[in-house]
Amino acid sequence: MLALLWQWLIEPFAEFDFMLRALAGCIALSLSAPLVGVFLMLRRMSLTGDAMAHAILPGAALGYLVAGLSVEAMTIGGLLAGGLVVILSGFVARLTESGEDSSLAAFYLISMALGVMIISVNGSSVDLLHVLFGSALALNDAALWLLGSVTSLTLLLLALLYRPLVMECLDPDFLGSVSRMGPVAHIAFLLLAVLNLIAGFHAIGTLMAVGIMILPAITARYWTNRLSHLLMISVVLAMFSSLAGLLVSYHLGWPTSPAIILTLGVCYFLSIIAGHRSGLLWRYVRRAHLQA
């Protein structure tokens, strides 16, 4: 029994350095991205994360085509592209009658199409797949340093801005009346979202990065409504899914990034059924208890 557990759970990481690197990178991402996802969910901005994930694509694609698998070039390009889309969408929303959500949707769709076009015209199908779906099993030292740095910065800024972020989620008008930290917290939070999506892009690709940010937060909501518990459960779910996805990918030969996100999907559907706060089974049990 112990030999079987070693073979299935420990041996891939003990025998292969690329598996250990992939685990380290995914764990680092799991410590920060789900925390940002919780605040996006509480602000009803879950789809904004998806928009920003697609918005970084043309910048990352240009960096990839210019410098190859250069973490620095792709990160700078993605950061510039994501920041430009966020700024332009906010600018258009304020100058016109268009809502911020619709302007952001327009810019991210244009940005995504531009990124795919850049790669398709100047690269290959392999290049496109790498940018869209990532390469968790090929993380190098530079990528791990980036993931660790983004995680550290995220934890630090969230600790410093925790109170204004919570107040902005609950009542932004009240925050604006008692403090000038609202705009600072909002801009810093959007920057953290872009940085975590760029970090996730290096690990699991631009199409999958938003999954490890949003799915743990949505899933945790079925188990608790306390913010501190939401943050902890989302991180645990992301870590578990990263480990399980890597093991499934290793033993079954499945693509790593989809395996991680599909593991999160399984957790989500199980939570819909059995979640302690609002799962279907608990709702049925409570209803039966009240009727009795």
Side-chain angles (χ1 to χ4, degrees), residues 26-42 155 158 210-224 226-242 260 263-264 267-268 271:
C26 290
I27 291 298
L29 186 63
S30 299
L31 282 170
S32 60
L35 302 181
V36 176
V38 168
F39 285 103
L40 282 173
M41 178 191 67
L42 294 177
L155 294 176
L158 286 180
V210 71
I212 203 169
M213 177 179 288
I214 300 298
L215 270 175
I218 298 173
T219 304
R221 194 65 183 268
Y222 285 96
W223 295 96
T224 182
R226 295 186 61 181
L227 180 56
S228 59
H229 293 173
L230 277 174
L231 296 171
M232 288 188 290
I233 292 173
S234 65
V235 168
V236 170
L237 284 170
M239 287 183 173
F240 167 77
S241 297
S242 296
I260 293 173
T263 304
L264 279 170
C267 294
Y268 171 70
S271 298

Side-chain angles (χ1 to χ4, degrees), residues 102-121:
S102 59
S103 61
L104 182 60
F107 276 103
Y108 106 74
L109 290 170
I110 296 168
S111 182
M112 179 179 65
L114 178 61
V116 173
M117 181 65 70
I118 290 171
I119 300 174
S120 299
V121 171

Side-chain angles (χ1 to χ4, degrees), residues 115-164:
V116 173
M117 181 65 70
I118 290 171
I119 300 174
S120 299
V121 171
N122 298 284
S124 66
S125 59
V126 175
D127 296 331
L128 181 60
L129 288 175
H130 173 81
V131 172
L132 293 179
F133 299 105
S135 183
L137 300 182
L139 292 176
N140 55 23
D141 289 343
L144 289 177
W145 273 107
L146 172 66
L147 287 163
S149 300
V150 170
T151 297
S152 301
L153 179 62
T154 300
L155 294 176
L156 176 62
L157 286 182
L158 286 180
L160 293 174
L161 300 173
Y162 182 81
R163 289 176 64 87

